[in-house]
């Protein structure tokens, strides 16, 4: 649907290319999922749970490319994949068509440099143009930098999901549901 290509500057003055994902990105995206899952406790999966094949990831990317209201946005510096953000419908039912879900993750070394904010602003702009009326996300309650970013962009907390995740060590983490009217 949306074929976007934008260059922004990060806080270190580097050019960051923001673009729609292509099937050729599948292998880099799988590697990225494995590495970021190991870098942070804030994502859904453990690294060993990521077992997608390149073909499965290519099919996922193709579905996003062919969708009229969804997007997978890639961030690159110097041709290296550093993160991505997604825009997904909240469901195929008419009563949910006004809602979208967004998600974002960056390699840890690229967090706090303004890249995530620029990616989210782009995704939210596209969501509004696609006709969505509200954007929703779920965030782990102790992910304070992400929550601060979401709040800066106008998201508000609307609920808490206790014990949303259970980690390998037996500990739990709550999550917040956040939403922004577009």
């Amino acid at each position: 649907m949306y074929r976007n290509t934008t260059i922004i500057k990060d806080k270190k003055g580097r050019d960051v290319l923001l673009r729609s994902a292509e099937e050729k990105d599948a292998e880099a995206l799988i590697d990225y999922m494995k590495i970021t899952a190991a870098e942070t406790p804030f994502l859904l999966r453990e690294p060993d749970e990521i077992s997608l094949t390149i073909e499965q990831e290519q099919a996922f990317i193709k579905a996003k490319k062919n969708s009229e209201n969804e997007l997978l946005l890639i961030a690159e510096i110097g041709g290296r994949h550093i993160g991505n953000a997604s825009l997904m419908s909240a469901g195929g039912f008419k009563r949910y068509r006004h809602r979208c879900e967004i998600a974002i993750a960056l390699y840890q070394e690229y967090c706090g440099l303004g890249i995530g904010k620029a990616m989210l602003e782009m995704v939210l702009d596209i969501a509004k143009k696609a006709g969505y009326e509200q954007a929703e996300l779920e965030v782990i309650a102790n992910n304070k930098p992400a929550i601060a970013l979401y709040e800066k962009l106008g998201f508000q907390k609307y609920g808490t999901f206790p014990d949303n995740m259970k980690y390998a060590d037996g500990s739990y983490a709550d999550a917040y549901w956040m939403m922004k009217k577009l």
Side-chain angles (χ1 to χ4, degrees), residues 69-129:
N69 59 354
E70 295 188 323
L71 171 72
L72 181 57
L73 186 68
I74 302 281
E76 292 181 339
I77 292 180
R80 178 176 181 244
H81 176 258
I82 62 162
N84 61 273
S86 61
L87 167 65
M88 299 160 290
S89 69
F93 302 110
K94 290 178 185 177
R95 293 179 180 183
Y96 278 22
R97 285 191 186 148
H98 67 292
R99 299 170 53 203
C100 66
E101 298 173 355
I102 63 169
I104 186 169
L106 296 165
Y107 285 113
Q108 288 298 297
E109 66 184 285
Y110 297 100
C111 291
L113 298 174
I115 299 166
K117 181 177 184 240
M119 292 177 77
L120 286 172
E121 287 172 337
M122 187 173 184
V123 167
L124 290 168
D125 182 58
I126 291 166
K128 189 171 185 174
K129 288 176 182 171

Side-chain angles (χ1 to χ4, degrees), residues 116-158:
K117 181 177 184 240
M119 292 177 77
L120 286 172
E121 287 172 337
M122 187 173 184
V123 167
L124 290 168
D125 182 58
I126 291 166
K128 189 171 185 174
K129 288 176 182 171
Y132 291 115
E133 297 173 27
Q134 66 190 49
E136 304 168 13
L137 59 84
E138 188 177 293
V139 60
I140 297 303
N142 63 352
N143 189 349
K144 300 206 184 310
I147 293 166
L149 172 60
Y150 301 144
E151 289 177 337
K152 186 185 290 188
L153 292 173
F155 282 85
Q156 295 180 349
K157 294 175 195 161
Y158 283 93

